[in-house]
Amino acid sequence: MAKPASETSRDSPRGPVWPHLRGALLLLHLVAITLMALPAPVGSDQRSNYEGPEAEAELQALSDGLARVGLDVPPDAIVDWSVSTSARVLALRRAALAPFQPYYRWAGTRQGYRMFSAVALRGNRLTVEVDRGDGWELLYLARSARHTWRRSQLDHELTRSMLDRYTRKRYRKRYDAVTEWIARQVAVDVPDAERVRVSFRHAPIQTAAQSRAGEIPPTLQRRTRVVEVRR
Amino acid sequence: MIGAMWGRWVEATSRTEGPETMALFRIGIGLTLMWTVVTAWTSGAVDLVWTDAEFGGYRSLHESALVGWLGGASPRVVHGLLGGSLLGGALVAVGLGGRGSAFFALQAFIPIARLNSHANGSFEHLLTNALWLLVLCRATGAWSVDQRIARRRPPEIGVWARWLVLAQVILVYGTTGLQKTSSSWTPLGGFSAIYQALRDPAWQRVDLPWLGWLAPLLAVSTAAVWLFEIGWLLLPLLLWWRATDRGGRLGAFVRTHDPRPAILAFGLAMHLGILALMQVGGFSVLTLCFYVALWRPDEIRGWTTGRPR
């Protein structure tokens, strides 16, 4: 390896073995972090992750692309293949990572990056409403400049990460627990609150063409949950 | 053959250089840790996501053995660990306590980062990775309280420390790029990924309903970002060409035209854009800290003394 003039080679003050040991340890570190970071189909071995409009659109696009090169593979067959292959790959990955698990745990070297690998086609905005006995009043709407109850708490990236996950059906129980927590906070902040309604305002993300035309896609309320306020 | 390769590896990892690059990295990481802790703390998100249901949170949190051993994720324990992380971050930033302060910061922050796997971003792992690198090397050899107290010539540190920082950031970008496989990152989806990400309420800082007018520009940005991320996998080759007379015409080109300022400029534009338009925590600032490893200590020393190398 080429050595720039600014680098110095010198004998180790810790004896002749240390440079070899250090070289081996550095190599192990590089192997550990590389194995952890290598692309892996995490979650692709579960059929539930192929449900929903984004996944279905991706599968259809892939099926159409294969059809254009003469391969007739329907979306269901792609899912079957992907689930079984992912399960095998993930089993192999688990075996490869097993010897390094203590290192990941104690040195904090766990790293896997799947950032924005698939972007959403639909968006969800959390809404919190309160009923003081005369109808629903909007307290919080995610990304709204007007309805800003506990905004710093609910807009923080940690909370966003959690809520984004809880828009999925399989986290229903966790979502319910969050709504209970929100109701408890409303009870503290709004002394005359009787009921709290928590839901997601769900809508397709405006396409670029819709954005230019000023078209607003239809919105649905999802995961609506009403909690009686207990004091 | 293997013996010769091993000999070259041992020789390369035995080389030393000045401490300035790792000192800058240390300062950046310390400040980023402090920022991460302070924003989580002051926002109140801690009470929701990092507090056990038994103590007022929304769910049971049993994902950290240390927190369990301390009695569970009560406000006292969680705030104690956050305080430890904040103190650790400050010690790392000012360079007091050598590797010990990095180890302390790391061990205080790891339980927090693992407390609720439903509420985290990947950047916490990158932050703990960075702290571990600061445990491995002597990053307090320059611009540190330790160095002021010792009043000695800045020590030489292993050049491998800077290489590990580079390896980390190459993995971050390279593997992120390789995993961007959805059609919106390709012509099939009209290179719409960045437009869609900026319009997704889950991550946007504010909604920009007029963004459709910039769709062509964002499509070009989508392709450019993907190429930039994948391109980091070629960085070792570029740096090797710059340090040798290899690489033919391409090698000669990168020796006469330093690609690092262009890499930094693109990375800065991308990460400042993310910071301004999306709420993803300290990810952008943290990642930019790794860029410092593109420059050798003698080059950084040259800037600070006004004598560029």
Side-chain angles (χ1 to χ4, degrees), chain A residues 21-185:
Chain A
L21 184 60
R22 179 179 51 207
L25 292 172
L26 291 173
L27 203 56
L28 277 174
H29 172 82
L30 289 172
V31 170
I33 62 166
T34 304
L35 281 177
M36 177 55 92
L38 281 179
V42 175
S44 299
D45 57 336
Q46 291 165 24
R47 284 188 182 274
S48 58
N49 285 335
Y50 296 85
E51 292 164 4
E54 285 90 356
E56 282 159 18
E58 288 287 339
L59 287 166
Q60 194 58 55
L62 189 56
S63 180
D64 294 346
L66 290 170
R68 277 197 287 277
V69 294
L71 296 170
D72 180 22
V73 189
D76 286 351
I78 297 174
V79 172
D80 290 342
W81 178 85
S82 183
V83 167
S84 60
T85 307
S86 301
R88 282 198 293 274
V89 171
L90 290 174
L92 191 66
R93 181 176 187 260
R94 269 194 299 277
L97 297 184
F100 298 104
Q101 288 300 346
Y103 187 62
Y104 298 137
R105 174 176 290 272
W106 296 108
T109 49
R110 188 184 298 273
Q111 181 190 29
Y113 280 88
R114 283 170 281 278
M115 289 176 290
F116 294 101
S117 53
V119 289
L121 299 176
R122 290 162 187 269
N124 291 285
R125 294 201 287 167
L126 183 76
T127 66
V128 179
E129 297 161 284
V130 64
D131 179 13
R132 304 170 199 250
D134 52 0
W136 293 109
E137 172 195 342
L138 189 56
L139 282 183
Y140 172 81
L141 172 62
R143 315 299 90 79
S144 162
R146 285 180 57 207
H147 306 288
T148 56
W149 174 78
R150 294 215 176 207
R151 183 184 189 175
S152 67
Q153 205 165 24
L154 297 173
D155 272 9
H156 191 272
E157 62 269 12
L158 288 168
T159 317
R160 288 178 185 229
S161 146
M162 176 192 77
L163 290 171
D164 187 46
R165 186 181 297 261
Y166 293 169
T167 58
R168 291 175 234 159
K169 273 185 192 163
R170 64 185 163 121
Y171 291 104
R172 179 95 215 186
K173 276 172 71 177
R174 297 290 186 212
Y175 172 70
D176 289 352
V178 172
T179 61
E180 299 279 350
W181 184 90
I182 288 173
R184 290 202 298 276
Q185 312 316 308

Side-chain angles (χ1 to χ4, degrees), chain B residues 143-161:
Chain B
W143 302 319
S144 68
V145 175
D146 281 354
Q147 189 60 18
R148 291 238 164 194
I149 293 169
R151 290 174 179 273
R152 62 178 176 219
R153 225 172 131 246
E156 293 268 302
I157 64 171
V159 70
W160 52 262

